[in-house]
Each structure stands twice: as structure tokens, then as C-alpha cells.
Amino acid sequence: MFVMPEMLTPAMLIDTHCHLDASEFGDEAAHIRAQAQQCGVAQVVIPAVHRNTFAQAAEMAARLPGCSYALGIHPMYVPVSDESDIALLREQIAQRLPQDARLVAVGEIGLDYFVPALREAPLAEKQEWFYREQLKIARDFDLPVLLHVRRSQDQILKHLRRIPVHGGIAHAFNGSHHQAMEFIKLGFKLGFGGTMTFSGSRQIRRLAAELPPESIVLETDAPDIPPAWLHGQRNSPAELPQIAQVLAELRGWTPEETARITTQNAIAAMPRLEALLR
């Protein structure tokens, strides 16, 4: 059983998925991170999306307090990637993992069947190949994965059963209750963020309210997926406490319980976070 480190306080939250290195933040990333830290966001995980962002994510995590990172190739960037990028990803993880405690996962990886071109040949096959190869890297280095699962839950699960990894997070989860339980059976947590704050998101809100408490983590996906009060605007990790409050209301938890439970779950999903929070 996981035991909360003594240094953690009930107010500490973890943003398990935030693209703080995105161009939308410009030169404001340090200021935005400071804002989030002031309101209780103890750790922000920055997933890379393409070979050109590997060094960028690592550098930002080293430069800004309370940041960590993941390395991976996002399915949306598969069209402009090739096999050499997989080789580079493996090399980068092999080089960084022993010396950089801030590297906590392989991600963002997965499948996207929302974009029409990615559902059709040849990109459908190409993104599946990239997903499988990145699962193999995660397996070989015993790292969790941060999964992009947009309209692709069943295919994501199929490959996870064939290439088992050390758990991780199904980011921005929007599948069915059955699919959610299948991810949980495989040792995964499910990421909930801005979409949960819209009253019309009935399925996602029902899942957030009813799934096992040990299966839920919080995220912003900033600058994307803004919460209801920022609809159409740039999202920020500083919004996480208010997103957490929505989860607390859905679950009947206190804010302190929400922070404690979701932080514990985030550490269970990405064990290397624990040392960064001491």
C-alpha cells in the first residue's frame, strides 16, 4: 500500500498533464508556473509531443520549480515523424533516465481516431506502429505511459494487452464505464480535467463521481481543454485547484481529501514523482 510522504500536505495538487512548453504560453511559462505553485499545485508534468520538443520539455522541467516531464511522440505528430524518431526516443530515455529524476514517463503517446486523416491508410497503420514501438520502449525501461485516447480506447487497450507496461494514465479520458474499468484492470489511472467542469458533460461527470477513488487523477492539458469558466480561452495549470473543487463536489469529498487522494493516485501512476515531492 502506498503511504503519503510526510512532506506532502493536504493542499498539494499534481497537474499530471500540462503542455507548459507550448508556444501559446510564449515567455510567460515561468510566471504561469509560479501562479500555479502559489495556489497549491506542487508538481506539473510536461509531456513532449515530437522529437523537437524532447530537449525543450526536459529543459523547462529543470529550469522551473516543481516540474517534471515525459518523452514521447504524440499521434498528431506521427505524419511528420519517421522511424529514426523512435530510435532517438529510445536513445534519449536511455541517456536521461539514470541521471534525471524529473523524467517520469513515456508520453504523450497513443492513438487518435478523431482526425479523419489519422483513421485512414496509410496514417492509421503508421500511428499504430508508433504507438506499439513506444509501448515497447516504456516496457523496456519499466516506465509508465501517458496515453492519448481520443476515440481510440478499444484499440489502445488491445495493444496494451499485447505489450504490457508499468501502468500510467489514460489522459483526458472520455470513454465508457466498461472501457474505464478495463484500463483500471490494467493498472491505469484516468485523467479528468476541464471537460468535467461542464454541466453538459454528463458521461464524464458520472465517471468522475462513480469510478473507484484510487483510479482518478487531475490534469489541465493546458493550454488546451479549458474549464467552463474559461471556455474559449487559454487554459493554465493555475486552474487546477478550481477543477479539483468540481471533482470534490461530484464525489462529496472535502478539498483536502481531493488533494490527498488525487496526489496519491498520481504518484502511484508515476512512482518517480514521489522523490520530487519530498
Side-chain angles (χ1 to χ4, degrees):
M1 178 181 294
F2 173 76
V3 177
M4 183 68 71
E6 289 182 5
M7 291 292 288
L8 288 182
T9 68
M12 286 187 178
L13 293 166
I14 296 179
D15 188 344
T16 61
H17 202 106
C18 174
H19 296 283
L20 196 56
D21 61 335
S23 60
E24 288 90 336
F25 290 123
D27 60 0
E28 297 180 79
H31 173 67
I32 290 165
R33 177 63 191 107
Q35 283 183 324
Q37 194 166 33
Q38 288 170 6
C39 59
V41 182
Q43 187 71 208
V44 172
V45 181
I46 306 168
V49 295
H50 179 259
R51 67 178 296 160
N52 292 344
T53 68
F54 291 172
Q56 184 175 297
E59 182 276 331
M60 181 165 285
R63 177 168 55 88
L64 300 183
C67 287
S68 51
Y69 68 101
L71 295 181
I73 299 168
H74 192 293
M76 296 284 287
Y77 285 85
V78 164
V80 294
S81 301
D82 58 39
E83 291 185 19
S84 67
D85 297 335
I86 291 293
L88 177 64
L89 175 62
R90 183 176 287 274
E91 292 169 6
Q92 286 283 301
I93 290 177
Q95 174 187 336
R96 295 178 183 275
L97 191 62
Q99 61 190 23
D100 191 351
R102 298 180 186 89
L103 175 55
V104 297
V106 173
E108 178 178 359
I109 70 172
L111 299 170
D112 191 305
Y113 293 148
F114 175 77
V115 178
L118 292 176
R119 296 198 301 265
E120 301 165 0
L123 291 181
E125 292 81 4
K126 186 178 180 182
Q127 70 162 328
E128 283 205 40
W129 183 85
F130 268 79
Y131 172 49
R132 290 194 304 269
E133 292 304 307
Q134 292 182 95
L135 286 180
K136 292 174 186 176
I137 292 173
R139 177 196 63 193
D140 293 348
F141 289 98
D142 196 28
L143 282 170
V145 292
L146 302 180
L147 293 173
H148 181 94
V149 298
R150 192 158 64 158
R151 297 193 181 175
S152 59
Q153 290 87 357
D154 289 338
Q155 286 294 104
I156 289 281
L157 286 163
K158 180 185 79 173
H159 293 297
L160 283 174
R161 294 184 185 107
R162 295 175 177 176
I163 309 171
V165 298
H166 189 90
I169 297 170
H171 149 63
F173 187 77
N174 60 356
S176 67
H177 187 275
H178 173 75
Q179 290 166 333
M181 295 309 297
E182 291 301 305
F183 276 103
I184 292 168
K185 287 177 186 176
L186 292 175
F188 280 78
K189 311 300 182 186
L190 308 176
F192 289 87
T195 306
M196 176 183 63
T197 67
F198 288 85
S199 59
S201 299
R202 293 186 179 88
Q203 169 71 358
I204 291 174
R205 288 166 70 88
R206 183 162 53 249
L207 288 172
E210 297 176 357
L211 287 176
E214 64 273 15
S215 67
I216 295 173
V217 296
L218 290 168
E219 60 175 52
T220 62
D221 198 31
D224 299 321
I225 315 186
W229 52 89
L230 283 181
H231 185 53
Q233 302 178 57
R234 185 184 71 181
N235 197 6
S236 161
E239 302 303 321
L240 195 66
Q242 198 169 344
I243 292 171
Q245 180 59 38
V246 173
L247 178 62
E249 293 167 1
L250 290 171
R251 301 285 316 200
W253 292 341
T254 66
E256 291 77 17
E257 286 173 323
T258 304
R260 177 179 56 79
I261 292 168
T262 59
T263 294
Q264 178 171 322
N265 294 344
I267 296 170
M270 294 177 281
R272 287 170 68 90
L273 284 175
E274 183 175 354
L276 300 177
L277 289 162
R278 292 188 181 278

